[in-house]
Structures are given as C-alpha cells and as structure tokens.
Amino acid sequence: MPSQRTAAAAAGWARLTAVLVSRAYRTGLLTLSVVALAPLLFGWGSFVIKSGSMGPSIDVGDVVVARPFAIGEEVAVGRVYVFDDPSTSREQLLTHRIVELRDDGSYTSAGDANEVTDATPVTTDDFEARGILLVPFVGLPVTWLQDRQWVRLGLWLLLTVAAFWTATRNLDGEPPKWNLLRLTPRPMRQRRSEHTSDDADDDNGAQEVPAARRVPHRVARRHAPALLGIVIALSGTGLGTANAGFTAQTRSPGMRWTVASFVQPYVAAVLADNPATFWLLDEAVGTGTAQDRSGNQTLGTYRAGATLGQTGALTSRNPGTSMRAAGGLAVTSARPVAAPTAHSIELWFRTTSTTGGYLVGFESTTATTSPLADRIARMTPSGQLTYGNWSTNPVRTITTPRAYNDGNWHQLVVAVANPSSFGDTVLYVDGVAAVSGQTSKAEAYNGYWRVGAGAGTSPAFNGTIDNLSIYLTTMPAARVAAHYAAR
C-alpha cells in the first residue's frame, strides 16, 4: 500500500539520520576529549571554566589548554593567562586576560565579561600558565558534577550512552554482522530458503556460524556501546582513575585540572546603579592610589592615616581586603570634582571606638583647613551615626537611635534628595532605613571626598572602612537592600 511504503520510507530516513547524527556526536566527543586531555601527557595544563566572567570568548564548560609559564618569560598584554588569585590567601586559580602593564611592574587582569578590571594586581610570581588552545563544551560534565546538577549530568550520561549505541548500527538501522576471527563487520546474508541445507555453503562460500559461537559475541555487540558510553562519561566527569588530573586538588606538574572562577555579586550590584565613584579600598600594601571601579576614573589618594591589607567587610563571595583609618585622614579624591546635588554615599565600617569620628565628607581642600565642608557622615562617641552636623545656618541633623560601635561590619548608605534646600535624607544601616528627616544645606563647589578625617575639630575615625561608593542619585530602599543582600 502506498501509505505503508511512505511510512516505511520515513522510518528509514529517521533511522539513517539518527545513525549519522550519533556517529557525528561520538566522533566530536572523542576528538574534543583527546584534545583536552592529551596535553596533560606533555606537562601542560587543562583548565575547566566554571564561571561566565570570560564570556563570550570563553564560556562555562569550555576547557583552556595552557602551557606552563616559564621563569623570566615576558608577559604578553592582551593574552589569556592562568594565575594564582592575588586577592585571596586561599588556593584558587583564575583564567583571565592581562590588560595592562602597571608602572610598578605588576599587571592588571580582567574578565572579558566584567565591566571593571580585577581589583588586585598580578605579579610575575602569580603566573602559572599561558592559554594556547580553547576546547569548547567538553568540560560541562565536570561543572555539573561539582555543582551537583544531577539532572543535567544524568541526562547527558543517558544521551551519550544512547548515541554511542546508535552509532554502532548499520545505516539501515540493523546491527552489523561480525566475523569472529577478524572482528570486522561484514554484510548481512540473505535469509536462506527452507530447502537449503544448514551445512551448505552460502553464495560466498562462507559457513553458517553455529549458534553457540554467536551468542557470546551477540551479547558483547549489544552491550559494548552502552559500556563504552559509560566509560566515556566517567572519564569526562573526572571519576575515572586514569584521568585523576580532572580533580580540583591535583597539584602534580602537568596534571592540574582546576576550576577557574571570578564572581563578585556585591560589585555587580553596585555597578548596576551606575556609581560616579567606587573605591574597593583593597589595593596592596604600599599602593598610593585607590582605583576607581566605576569606570569614571575618579581615583583616590591614600594618605598617612590609611593602613591597607586589612580583613575585608564582605563574605567569601566577594574577595578583597579593606583599609584601616587609624585616627587620621585616610583617603581623598585625587582631583577636585563637582559637588553632587541629589546623591547617595555608601560604605562599610567596623569599629569599637568610644570617641566617634569622621567617616566621610565633602570639602573644598585636602589640607588641614577647608573653607567649605559639608555632606559629612559621622559617628558619635556613643556609636550612633549622624548626618547634617556641619557649619551652616540653621544646623539640622539626623541621628540613628542605636549605636554601631559593636565591632561588627555594618553597611551605611546616606541617600539625600535636595542638599541645597534642607535635603530630605535617609540613613540606611545594614539594608534597612534607620532614620530619616531634613538635614543641613550643602553648597555647590568643586571639592574632594575625604575619608577618615575632616579639616575641622571633629575627631578622626578610628576603625576599618571598605567599599566606598558615591552615586549621583538618591538610592531607593530596594536597591540599598539589594546591595546588602549581595555582600
């Protein structure tokens, strides 16, 4: 019947397509696995990428094949390198691009997908390897295994086993016949006539293989593809002992297979609100410049009151250090900037001081005296936070009900709507509004942000400060809470 012939033809094309696609997948998977693993035999490294910080050039699950970095080797700016993460004391590798040779001989790195460069410079002692070859996708099972994405991993295993089994079929969908002596496939023979003797030779003179001899190979033929798929799956996810180099802790030369990641959710949350200035304050000890991560190049200058390299305010998801303001001016704007109108100030602080002090403010100079000084956030000797207490007429100040000199890290956000006309101000602490009201007028002039100490008689702050950001908008409560949640 025509309909039956059409259905048979469609089924035949479907079988043909399935076999060809399975063979292409098998060939691709085996080829990529060999390319990713073979360099390990020659002392090179293969690194699975776990985060999207290098996208779109390097995606999650890609494998970077890298040759070891030689002592004294010149670093090529613009190339991808694997190096020890300089922002943390934990053993962690990054696979990022080198984008700048700094004046002190260190290097600036960055993820291609990140809007800002990495905070901590890379020294030549940090380099491990130079990226040479990119192998796409083959490391995805490793990331699924380490992230406990069992559904994805299980589906991949099942599909891989099915593909390897299908790839062994003939193009007509039938399993191949095998010659037991040569272990090679041969064409299937036509069905014999009932009147043909079982012991007679076929048209090619071949003897019928006894059933007893066919059974063992039939079992192997049916199960070998599945077993092969499972072996490939185990090898690809690093559970096979032959590929122990896949494990993250392997440290022997040439056999290091490590996940590279660089994710800073707090930095991403801040950048989403377009800060005018963003000082992470986690430069290395001895550095004179506070880098601006906002992209606006409003750099800061560290002063005598700053002690760098202190424990950071945020969790391990946001690696970095902080700055101690030891009773003096700690950091200022490097160049004068225009005083903001509506604005927000955000920083993290920690102290047990009972003398209070000047946290952050805006003044017309960086000297010991300033004709103009306003937009100042202070801590009282009792540990409460205030805003609006500067020389103006009249003075209007708001103060938090509770104290925060308890030795814990706290987030402070000052959101000001109209500073030139008794601005409506909200002080947020740890993601929630602590106090609000009208505050003293602020002037319009070019000046400097000062951290740790002002030019007046107010005592300097004695404590630790981290992640200072300035915004030219009044930050809404939802965004303040989002920043705190990203800590």
Side-chain angles (χ1 to χ4, degrees), residues 50-394:
K50 189 177 181 181
S51 78
S53 64
M54 283 297 292
S57 54
I58 305 176
D59 291 321
V60 174
D62 291 350
V63 174
V64 172
V65 176
R67 65 166 175 78
F69 186 80
I71 297 177
E73 177 182 342
E74 182 178 354
V75 176
V77 175
R79 294 297 300 267
V80 173
Y81 284 84
V82 181
F83 51 88
D84 293 316
D85 185 355
S87 68
T88 178
S89 59
R90 293 179 293 121
E91 186 177 291
Q92 176 175 293
L93 294 181
L94 294 180
T95 303
H96 274 188
R97 193 178 306 277
I98 300 301
V99 298
E100 177 191 21
L101 172 61
R102 301 163 66 95
D103 292 340
D104 60 1
S106 62
Y107 294 88
T108 301
S109 60
D112 290 353
N114 294 341
E115 296 185 10
V116 297
T117 59
D118 298 340
T120 308
V122 184
T123 67
T124 53
D125 293 336
D126 296 324
F127 287 99
E128 295 283 346
R130 173 173 170 170
I132 300 296
L133 183 65
L134 180 66
V135 186
F137 311 127
V138 74
L140 279 172
V142 178
T143 66
W144 295 334
L145 177 67
Q146 294 185 344
D147 293 340
R148 300 180 182 275
Q149 298 184 39
W150 306 122
V151 174
R152 290 187 177 184
L153 182 62
L155 288 175
W156 176 80
L157 286 172
L158 290 174
L159 290 174
T160 298
V161 169
F164 272 73
W165 181 84
T166 304
T168 63
R169 315 294 286 180
N170 286 326
L171 294 181
D172 59 3
E174 295 294 332
K177 291 290 185 177
W178 296 82
N179 185 305
L180 295 182
L181 297 178
R182 293 182 293 127
L183 294 180
T184 57
R186 62 182 176 85
M188 294 185 64
R189 289 170 294 167
Q190 296 180 349
R191 185 183 297 266
R192 291 169 174 260
S193 168
E194 294 181 357
H195 303 289
T196 304
S197 171
D198 290 341
D199 296 328
D201 292 346
D202 62 12
D203 294 339
N204 297 320
Q207 295 288 333
E208 175 72 23
V209 178
R213 296 176 59 191
R214 291 200 303 266
V215 170
H217 189 72
R218 183 182 303 158
V219 173
R221 186 177 68 232
R222 290 179 178 176
H223 295 281
L227 293 175
L228 179 59
I230 293 173
V231 169
I232 294 296
L234 293 179
S235 300
T237 55
L239 301 180
T241 57
N243 294 323
F246 275 96
T247 59
Q249 282 72 38
T250 301
R251 302 295 297 176
S252 58
M255 289 297 289
R256 179 183 298 168
W257 186 280
T258 306
V259 171
S261 61
F262 188 84
V263 179
Q264 289 187 312
Y266 179 78
V267 172
V270 170
L271 293 177
D273 291 311
N274 299 313
T277 303
F278 187 17
W279 298 335
L280 293 178
L281 304 179
D282 58 1
E283 277 75 23
V285 175
T287 305
T289 300
Q291 297 294 328
D292 176 24
R293 305 301 168 181
S294 73
N296 297 315
Q297 293 300 307
T298 50
L299 303 176
T301 299
Y302 288 112
R303 304 290 177 169
T307 302
L308 300 177
Q310 306 302 300
T311 302
L314 308 180
T315 63
S316 59
R317 298 190 302 159
N318 297 276
T321 58
S322 64
M323 172 198 72
R324 180 168 182 79
L329 182 59
V331 63
T332 68
S333 304
R335 296 182 296 273
V337 297
T341 53
H343 65 281
S344 301
I345 307 169
E346 181 175 8
L347 59 82
W348 292 75
F349 69 91
R350 179 173 65 178
T351 186
T352 56
S353 172
T354 57
T355 60
Y358 184 110
L359 283 165
V360 59
F362 191 78
E363 302 190 16
S364 57
T365 75
T366 59
T368 55
T369 60
S370 290
L372 297 172
D374 50 37
R375 301 170 175 85
I376 301 170
R378 291 185 174 91
M379 176 174 281
T380 68
S382 60
Q384 296 165 285
L385 300 172
T386 69
Y387 185 82
N389 185 15
W390 53 77
S391 179
T392 187
N393 187 20

Side-chain angles (χ1 to χ4, degrees), residues 9-34:
W13 279 109
R15 287 193 298 268
L16 175 63
T17 302
V19 172
L20 293 177
V21 170
S22 297
R23 290 182 180 181
Y25 172 76
R26 179 182 63 180
T27 301
L29 178 60
L30 291 175
T31 300
L32 292 176
S33 298
V34 169

Side-chain angles (χ1 to χ4, degrees), residues 385-410:
L385 300 172
T386 69
Y387 185 82
N389 185 15
W390 53 77
S391 179
T392 187
N393 187 20
V395 175
R396 295 185 178 179
T397 305
I398 57 175
T399 303
T400 61
R402 59 157 291 191
Y404 297 96
N405 56 346
D406 53 11
N408 297 318
W409 280 107
H410 296 286

